[in-house]
Amino acid sequence: MGETIAGVSWLGFLVGTVVFGRGMWHGRKTQQLLGIGIAFYALTMRLFARLGVSGVRQPMDTEERVWAATFAVAAGTAMLALLLVILKEQQDSLRTHRRRLAALCAAAVASTVALRTITWLPGPEWPPSNDFLNAYGGDLRVVGYELIFAAWLGLPLGALGMFVFRFQRGFTRWATVVGCVLGVGWAGWKVAGTAVRYCTGDAIPLESPVSVATALTALTLLIGGLLSGQIGGALRRARETREYTLARRADDERHATPAPDSTNSPAA
């Protein structure tokens, strides 16, 4: 199962890279940010791939978990920046856009520093584990880590889901929205599990498998939905370009054809 998750994750990273490259080629910030978001969410999932859902589940060490959460911060920042760029194009003033973008970047930097600082704080070691929350959830440092991670999963995906639901239609709308709902559910599951583990000390036997399965399904639907929107937009633009080219050619041919000379007509 771990190999399947890893394969889906690398596919997502490839899709994100292609979307980013296409955005760079055409000079479109929205595509660049979308590509970054997809690629970093895929990298987050790639690090969790070894945990699998069933069978032999390999442990993850603390460094890998910190990097997974850091990638989630980067992906969430890109998704929220994407929405800010779209809002700027629709209604926001340049000053408002810059203020919101600065606040977003500050929050991302603070979260990244906090994730790294948590591992430096004094306390018991966290040996590699395939059930991190149940093993170390009584540690307040783990609570901080889980809450930061959950925030950068739930908030960006929730905002993206609401935006897509409002402005998209068809398969793109439903696949992306369901993926976002599952992503928010993943974040909610982490918050609830963290609260239960820390406050009551009770273990949650299915915490890690449910997290991985939910994340994998969310990532797959997000990639499918967002990619279908990109392909649909590209096909629509190609069709419009072709129709415009044909119309211009017909117009040029009509103007290039000389009008009949009235002096050569039989009536003359």
Side-chain angles (χ1 to χ4, degrees):
M1 186 64 182
E3 293 181 356
T4 301
I5 298 174
V8 173
S9 302
W10 282 124
L11 176 61
F13 179 77
L14 177 62
V15 169
T17 302
V18 170
V19 173
F20 173 78
R22 190 167 181 269
M24 290 289 291
W25 180 264
H26 294 286
R28 293 175 180 152
K29 290 183 179 180
T30 52
Q31 287 192 355
Q32 296 170 28
L33 292 169
L34 178 61
I36 293 172
I38 292 175
F40 276 104
Y41 274 136
L43 288 177
T44 298
M45 191 66 248
R46 173 64 187 89
L47 288 174
F48 282 104
R50 66 172 55 191
L51 294 179
V53 177
S54 59
V56 179
R57 306 176 63 244
Q58 301 177 5
M60 285 179 65
D61 59 34
T62 303
E63 186 68 15
E64 290 173 317
R65 291 183 183 278
V66 171
W67 276 112
T70 303
F71 290 152
V73 172
T77 302
M79 290 300 187
L80 290 175
L82 166 64
L83 299 181
L84 290 179
V85 169
I86 295 174
L87 287 174
K88 174 182 174 293
E89 294 174 352
Q90 292 182 346
Q91 61 187 30
D92 282 354
S93 65
L94 181 60
R95 182 178 180 180
T96 301
H97 171 71
R98 287 178 175 174
R99 186 169 61 249
R100 289 177 175 175
L101 193 60
L104 173 62
C105 292
V109 171
S111 297
T112 302
V113 172
L115 286 169
R116 183 56 60 182
T117 302
I118 284 172
T119 64
W120 297 338
L121 294 175
E125 294 291 329
W126 299 333
S129 171
N130 59 12
D131 200 0
F132 182 70
L133 182 59
N134 283 326
Y136 311 116
D139 191 329
L140 192 59
R141 295 173 299 165
V142 174
V143 174
Y145 164 84
E146 294 285 358
L147 292 180
I148 294 173
F149 194 178
W152 285 99
L153 290 173
L155 295 178
L157 292 179
L160 177 66
M162 288 189 293
F163 180 85
V164 171
F165 182 82
R166 181 178 179 184
F167 293 105
Q168 293 290 338
R169 294 293 183 272
F171 177 79
T172 299
R173 179 187 193 182
W174 293 111
T176 306
V177 168
V178 173
C180 288
V181 169
L182 287 174
V184 173
W186 181 21
W189 175 261
K190 294 183 76 66
V191 171
T194 300
V196 170
R197 177 66 181 85
Y198 183 78
C199 295
T200 68
D202 295 336
I204 307 172
L206 295 177
E207 194 282 327
S208 187
V210 169
S211 291
V212 175
T214 305
L216 176 63
T217 308
L219 178 64
T220 303
L221 289 171
L222 278 172
I223 292 173
L226 295 173
L227 184 60
S228 70
Q230 291 292 301
I231 293 175
L235 291 175
R236 184 174 61 255
R237 286 190 294 271
R239 183 175 64 252
E240 291 172 351
T241 300
R242 181 175 180 274
E243 292 173 353
Y244 174 77
T245 301
L246 292 176
R248 282 295 302 272
R249 184 181 302 169
D251 187 64
D252 292 342
E253 291 176 352
R254 184 170 63 254
H255 285 85
T257 303
D261 190 351
S262 60
T263 60
N264 296 329
S265 62

